[in-house]
Amino acid sequence: MTFEEVLPRLKTGEKVIRKGWGGAELYVKLVGQGEHDGENLNPYFLINVQGEGYTMFTPTVCDLLAEDWIIVD
């Protein structure tokens, strides 16, 4: 799947990953708008990496153009 195909699914709470990564990456998910310390928190992507936990994720151009995205249960 392309990033354009998985983006609507991320918006509904599904988790995705690229087949081509093949490492410790478990999934990417979208965290919706919220609030932190009384201020608005804009939506952002998180990636869960085995043994490291969550970190913010910004797709690269290669990620955006890739066609190996899959949905993760």
Side-chain angles (χ1 to χ4, degrees):
M1 298 176 79
T2 65
F3 193 78
E4 290 87 356
E5 292 172 313
V6 299
L7 184 57
R9 299 183 70 169
L10 283 163
K11 290 180 178 181
T12 65
E14 292 188 75
K15 300 170 185 172
V16 301
I17 197 70
R18 286 193 53 204
K19 282 186 197 177
W21 285 343
E25 300 87 355
L26 300 174
Y27 58 84
V28 172
K29 70 183 222 174
L30 177 65
V31 177
Q33 187 172 0
E35 186 177 302
H36 181 73
D37 290 339
E39 297 287 332
N40 286 335
L41 185 61
N42 293 318
Y44 57 96
F45 293 111
L46 283 181
I47 188 167
N48 189 347
V49 179
Q50 186 175 7
E52 295 180 27
Y54 289 105
T55 191
M56 287 187 71
F57 173 74
T58 303
T60 66
V61 171
C62 290
D63 293 328
L64 294 173
L65 297 175
E67 297 182 357
D68 63 345
W69 288 96
I70 57 171
I71 304 301
V72 177
D73 292 325

